[in-house]
Amino acid sequence: MGQSNKKNFSYFKLFNIKKRFNLSIYEFDFILREVLNKTYSDYLINDISNEEFEKIKPYIEIAKYKPVEYIFNKAFFRNLELYVDENVLIPRNETEYLVDIAIKIIKERNYYKIFEIGIGSGAISISLAKEVDKIKIFANDISFKALKVAKKNIKKYQVENKIFLFCGDSIKSIKSKFHLIIWNIPYIFEDEYIYLSEKVKAEPKLALLYNENVFSYFLNNFKNFLLDNGSCILEISPKLSKKLKNYGFEILNDFYGIERFALFSII
Ligand SMILES: C[S@@+](CC[C@H](N)C(=O)[O-])C[C@H]1O[C@@H](n2cnc3c(N)ncnc32)[C@H](O)[C@@H]1O
């Protein structure tokens, strides 16, 4: 009886701390793991001590306005643990599914020459390099600072022989053709941006904001950079579906049922 009351009290206490600081379970769990090597569920049984709380408090204060991934310079993507900072987008769950689609296509069609536009932290390219044999990935980013982060992660995962980086604006400076072009485009529209949380706004605007000129240039020219049986996969906003269908793309949903990916193939 006494024991079960204690359990309820522990959960209640932790729940109240989480609520007071307005954090998600994911954020709270992230901080507990990093600082105390514990998880949120550990405290459903054992009380969080005052000493432990004092240790996590500075981090939960910062986490009110800064993503936990930037606080600890760490983000998890598929089976990778990537270095991240304010110069790169924090890789998202949906993008893990983009990688699944890419791997399926690469294997089915025996692709080996891949181009990723806007590599950011390296989440997509490093996953492909680690999970698929015998591919070469050329990857750019318009942000030199993002490329520095990608380079660090590429080195960590020892895939320097599979990923080649350069600074560039979408397909503008490329001279070669590829089996697969992949791009998680910045797809937040200007009128949506103001409604984003402060934490999302801590991410680079360049990685978030949709740019009509850049994307239209891409759509009008990307086919020139595909090999004969080539494909292109994009991560998109549903707002772009109609436009992309007009360019011959097939639209695929993410696991929330939202139109999130666009696939073009030369058959
Ligand atoms: C949505 S983020 C994706 C980052 C990473 N690929 C991922 O999936 O986590 C878009 C990336 O594209 C880069 N970017 C934006 N405009 C670009 C352009 N015109 N050419 C190349 N990269 C661009 C940004 O700097 C950013 O790193």
Side-chain angles (χ1 to χ4, degrees):
M1 169 81 173
Q3 183 64 18
S4 93
N5 278 345
K6 187 166 182 278
K7 274 184 196 175
N8 291 341
F9 173 73
S10 295
Y11 177 69
F12 188 65
K13 183 179 173 186
L14 189 76
F15 180 78
N16 275 335
I17 294 169
K18 186 181 93 53
K19 211 168 143 199
R20 198 171 103 211
F21 287 89
N22 198 16
L23 297 182
S24 66
I25 289 185
Y26 168 79
E27 291 170 309
F28 213 86
D29 199 60
F30 205 117
I31 294 168
L32 291 170
R33 280 176 198 272
E34 290 301 317
V35 182
L36 301 176
N37 204 19
K38 295 238 170 120
T39 67
Y40 190 73
S41 53
D42 285 335
Y43 292 102
L44 303 181
I45 297 165
N46 304 308
D47 222 341
I48 186 161
S49 68
N50 288 343
E51 196 190 358
E52 284 175 319
F53 177 62
E54 285 309 313
K55 280 188 188 160
I56 62 166
K57 200 172 163 205
Y59 298 97
I60 51 182
E61 291 278 2
I62 307 171
K64 278 192 281 188
Y65 56 88
K66 191 172 179 170
V68 282
E69 292 86 350
Y70 289 159
I71 298 174
F72 297 101
N73 294 121
K74 194 179 276 190
F76 299 96
F77 185 85
R78 294 177 77 86
N79 50 8
L80 305 176
E81 185 187 302
L82 299 163
Y83 171 88
V84 291
D85 63 25
E86 282 84 347
N87 296 305
V88 291
L89 186 94
I90 298 160
R92 302 293 202 271
N93 289 345
E94 299 89 288
T95 310
E96 299 192 356
Y97 189 40
L98 179 76
V99 173
D100 280 336
I101 301 169
I103 290 176
K104 189 167 180 281
I105 294 173
I106 292 169
K107 289 187 174 168
E108 276 175 6
R109 303 184 191 170
N110 295 318
Y111 287 169
Y112 52 86
K113 201 175 166 197
I114 319 292
F115 177 37
E116 185 189 358
I117 302 173
I119 187 170
S121 64
I124 297 172
S125 284
I126 298 172
S127 299
L128 295 178
K130 292 295 288 178
E131 295 180 50
V132 188
D133 288 337
K134 295 180 188 146
I135 53 169
K136 295 277 181 221
I137 304 167
F138 299 82
N140 75 5
D141 206 291
I142 202 161
S143 157
F144 192 73
K145 288 180 177 168
L147 285 170
K148 274 180 81 174
V149 172
K151 193 172 174 192
K152 199 177 171 101
N153 287 318
I154 287 167
K155 190 164 180 232
K156 174 177 177 185
Y157 284 98
Q158 300 177 317
V159 283
E160 298 99 322
N161 57 342
K162 286 178 122 178
I163 304 176
F164 306 94
L165 294 176
F166 60 100
C167 199
D169 181 349
S170 73
I171 45 176
K172 280 187 186 155
S173 59
I174 58 170
K175 307 235 172 342
S176 192
K177 293 192 180 212
F178 300 89
H179 290 118
L180 178 68
I181 297 178
I182 186 163
W183 191 9
N184 176 10
I185 71 161
Y187 55 69
I188 306 291
F189 283 69
E190 197 81 54
D191 61 347
E192 297 170 321
Y193 187 81
I194 48 169
Y195 298 109
L196 296 179
S197 70
E198 287 312 306
K199 281 182 211 176
V200 178
K201 284 186 187 157
E203 295 180 87
K205 240 180 163 178
L206 203 52
L208 296 173
L209 265 192
Y210 173 71
N211 183 320
E212 175 67 30
N213 290 339
V214 170
F215 197 51
S216 291
Y217 179 88
F218 172 82
L219 288 179
N220 290 322
N221 295 285
F222 78 95
K223 288 176 198 164
N224 301 330
F225 301 99
L226 289 181
L227 287 162
D228 283 349
N229 62 340
S231 304
C232 172
I233 317 175
L234 308 172
E235 185 172 325
I236 56 153
S237 157
K239 284 186 176 181
L240 293 167
S241 304
K242 204 171 156 209
K243 185 180 173 98
L244 284 158
K245 279 181 195 163
N246 291 337
Y247 279 86
F249 280 82
E250 176 194 353
I251 305 301
L252 307 170
N253 290 356
D254 63 19
F255 28 65
Y256 305 110
I258 295 171
E259 294 182 325
R260 185 60 70 205
F261 310 106
L263 172 63
F264 176 92
S265 298
I266 300 174
I267 302 172

